[in-house]
Amino acid sequence: MAKNDKILIDGIIDEKVELKIPSDKRDEVFEYFVFEQLLKDYDLSKDEILFGSVDGRNDGGIDGFFIFVNGHLLTGTEKFVWPKSGSVLELWIITCKHHDTFKQAPLDNLVASISELFDFGIENEHLQGDYSEELLLQRNNFKLAYRKASSKLTSFKLNFYYASRGNTEELGESIISRANQLEKLAIDCFGNCVTNFFFYGSTELIDLFRKKPNFTLELPFSDYLSSGETYILLAKLKDYYHFISDQNKLRRYLFDSNVRDFMGLNRVNEDIRNTLENENSPDFWWLNNGVTILATNAVIVGKSIQIQDIQIVNGLQTSESIFRYFGLGAKDSNNRSVLVKVIVSNNTANRDEIIRATNNQTTVELSALHATDKIQRDIEDALKLNDFFYERRTNYYKNQGITPDKILTPLYLASGFVNLILKSPEQATNLKARFMRNEDS
């Protein structure tokens, strides 16, 4: 570890403490920072990060409990779109300590908890340890996700993380032994899983912090048509895969939050997969509508297009299907193509209209479809006058570098409305993300 990495981390935490992200307590700020950095590729909102946080009294040594199904965070089971086949299940168990070294005690606590929390034959009321309601809720969600996905699993990963301000090059043998024990415990409970234990110290956290989303990318193409600032491209499937991925991970930040939910292998996506797998089929773009990209600028350079401020607003099903196909090491010997439409516009109203029109063609979060309503834009404009930014589209301002203390979410405003206008502070305190999935809400 570089000598100054710990000083750099402390400086970052100092700044976030002043901004109260998410509070003014150093250990809570460090914990949130760790969650934010480790889960950066999932492009989670503040509400989603806080949902996975189970730190507190009776947390069993677990600070973060995050469940992902096909790359999407499981925040509620009632209206979650479960994949019909081809399920990818991931569980992230995160322990954060604002210590300047890695210690064995947190892992001892974790071993004791995991040994029974992962035993689904034990009902919650018969668990030996005392566990918080938040942790037990996540255990129930994980248990349900495992049951729902077990017959369709193509990949199951259990990831353990222990983060501190320490040096990963100075881990003691007893600590490494405990980490190995945790991996074995997980495998004993779930024989069909891939289990890994990762240590993140100051150096690793600094490296993650410096990794920024790239919204300006280059896409090679084989042919194109243009009219004004609109471009219709034919891009090779493999080139498009590299365009939407980074080190075999989907660049989720490229997809506008209004179109985040991959529908699993439903009929349409099964057709897409079958077309990809059948190299004797007609060219891919003959059978697929392709994708639509919104941008603020695009320039043709030779046989490629450089696109700025990318938001893929239509074609998530197609994109994820292509990503999953090539992500498993598949080839495309026929060099088939996907149709890509690039629309350059800096007009906010036009962009919102395009997003709403394209999003309405598939099942999306109800609240996302209201993001472009006039009242939502009015709230956004009113708050801007007072130097606040209304996140009517998830992570829109976060991705522009606006600090979290200046960002207000629809759920935050809903809580304020229920508290101050409807005079129901108790209900306001308990509002969760699922509240926004109801038309009346």
Side-chain angles (χ1 to χ4, degrees):
M1 181 176 80
K3 293 181 179 179
N4 291 325
D5 282 350
K6 195 178 297 182
I7 296 175
L8 287 173
I9 280 289
D10 288 343
I12 294 170
I13 300 304
D14 286 343
E15 181 181 351
K16 292 182 178 293
V17 167
E18 290 182 10
L19 296 173
K20 298 183 179 180
I21 306 173
S23 73
D24 58 359
K25 297 180 180 179
R26 294 189 67 80
D27 56 341
E28 293 180 2
V29 170
F30 179 75
E31 178 180 285
Y32 184 86
F33 173 76
V34 170
F35 294 161
E36 196 175 39
Q37 300 312 310
L38 290 180
L39 300 166
K40 180 178 287 187
D41 288 335
Y42 291 100
D43 196 29
L44 301 183
S45 67
K46 180 181 178 181
D47 291 334
E48 288 173 322
I49 291 175
L50 293 178
F51 179 85
S53 175
V54 294
D55 183 23
R57 184 179 176 85
N58 299 328
D59 62 17
I62 301 171
D63 298 316
F65 197 118
F66 297 87
I67 308 161
F68 295 92
V69 179
N70 284 4
H72 300 288
L73 183 68
L74 181 63
T75 57
T77 58
E78 295 178 4
K79 295 187 178 181
F80 190 81
V81 181
W82 299 98
K84 297 180 180 178
S85 58
S87 299
V88 177
L89 179 62
E90 286 187 83
L91 176 65
W92 291 56
I93 299 292
I94 304 173
T95 296
C96 307
K97 298 299 175 185
H98 191 249
H99 300 155
D100 56 6
T101 61
F102 289 92
K103 300 182 179 181
Q104 184 176 333
L107 296 184
D108 292 340
N109 195 8
L110 198 56
V111 167
S113 301
I114 291 299
S115 61
E116 63 172 351
L117 289 175
F118 279 9
D119 186 347
F120 290 162
I122 305 175
E123 297 299 328
N124 286 350
E125 57 269 22
H126 297 138
L127 293 170
Q128 295 291 318
D130 290 328
Y131 301 108
S132 65
E133 291 185 10
E134 291 80 7
L135 182 57
L136 293 178
L137 171 63
Q138 291 293 59
R139 181 184 190 245
N140 290 339
N141 288 344
F142 177 44
K143 187 176 180 180
L144 177 62
Y146 183 71
R147 188 169 73 244
K148 288 268 191 183
S150 59
S151 63
K152 318 171 188 70
L153 275 178
T154 58
S155 176
F156 180 24
K157 294 181 181 179
L158 286 170
N159 301 310
F160 293 95
Y161 288 84
Y162 178 12
S164 79
R165 294 156 52 245
N167 186 349
T168 56
E169 296 175 359
E170 298 176 352
L171 294 171
E173 289 186 9
S174 61
I175 292 178
I176 295 175
S177 176
R178 277 303 203 196
N180 293 335
Q181 185 181 357
L182 275 165
E183 290 183 353
K184 186 177 184 304
L185 271 174
I187 292 174
D188 288 343
C189 292
F190 309 99
N192 61 338
C193 69
V194 175
T195 306
N196 291 291
F197 196 107
F198 302 95
F199 292 94
Y200 271 73
S202 293
T203 298
E204 291 77 16
L205 291 172
I206 286 291
D207 289 342
L208 279 178
F209 178 70
R210 288 173 175 165
K211 181 183 177 184
K212 302 298 181 183
N214 187 359
F215 287 91
T216 301
L217 298 169
E218 186 172 328
L219 175 63
F221 59 79
S222 54
D223 209 347
Y224 82 101
L225 292 171
S226 66
S227 176
E229 291 190 297
T230 301
Y231 304 85
I232 308 296
L233 317 167
L234 285 181
K236 299 300 181 186
L237 289 173
K238 190 72 173 181
D239 289 334
Y240 184 72
Y241 165 74
H242 289 304
F243 177 75
I244 61 174
S245 63
D246 178 22
Q247 298 180 346
N248 295 322
K249 291 185 178 180
L250 188 65
R251 301 179 196 262
R252 297 196 178 276
Y253 57 85
L254 296 181
F255 297 87
D256 189 280
S257 58
N258 292 355
V259 196
R260 291 191 62 182
D261 42 350
F262 181 57
M263 306 300 291
L265 286 182
N266 56 20
R267 182 182 60 80
V268 173
N269 291 333
E270 283 184 7
D271 287 344
I272 295 175
R273 184 191 64 176
N274 293 336
T275 300
L276 290 168
E277 292 178 347
N278 180 12
E279 295 204 352
N280 294 320
S281 71
D283 202 340
F284 184 83
W285 74 277
W286 294 8
L287 307 175
N288 186 277
N289 292 332
V291 301
T292 301
I293 297 175
L294 270 182
T296 58
N297 191 38
V299 179
I300 298 290
V301 180
K303 297 294 288 184
S304 66
I305 183 170
Q306 294 179 348
I307 313 173
Q308 294 181 5
D309 299 324
I310 297 164
Q311 280 296 313
I312 299 173
V313 297
N314 192 28
L316 176 64
Q317 313 302 317
T318 297
S319 298
E320 286 223 26
S321 296
I322 293 172
F323 169 77
R324 288 156 67 88
Y325 176 73
F326 286 104
L328 295 174
K331 307 294 182 183
D332 183 36
S333 57
N334 291 334
N335 285 323
R336 292 170 295 175
S337 300
V338 61
L339 186 69
V340 180
K341 179 167 60 176
V342 180
I343 302 173
V344 176
S345 175
N346 289 285
N347 184 299
T348 301
N350 288 346
R351 290 171 66 92
D352 287 341
E353 190 173 350
I354 293 168
I355 290 170
R356 186 177 180 89
T358 53
N359 287 343
N360 231 347
Q361 297 169 12
T362 187
T363 303
V364 297
E365 286 284 359
L366 181 64
S367 57
L369 287 177
H370 284 289
T372 59
D373 288 352
K374 181 181 182 300
I375 183 63
Q376 299 296 319
R377 289 204 294 265
D378 290 346
I379 293 172
E380 182 179 29
D381 292 339
L383 287 172
K384 273 186 181 179
L385 295 174
N386 293 277
D387 199 30
F388 285 102
F389 298 85
Y390 183 48
E391 194 91 299
R392 61 187 176 91
R393 285 184 277 165
T394 304
N395 289 345
Y396 179 77
Y397 288 111
K398 175 186 173 183
N399 289 333
Q400 295 182 41
I402 304 298
T403 57
D405 63 308
K406 291 292 184 182
I407 295 175
L408 304 181
T409 66
L411 184 61
Y412 183 89
L413 257 66
S415 298
F417 183 87
V418 171
N419 182 19
L420 298 173
I421 308 302
L422 301 185
K423 309 297 185 185
S424 182
E426 182 178 358
Q427 182 187 2
T429 303
N430 295 321
L431 287 191
K432 304 295 183 184
R434 60 178 177 269
F435 173 80
M436 306 300 288
R437 296 171 186 161
N438 176 279
E439 183 69 49
D440 290 338
S441 300

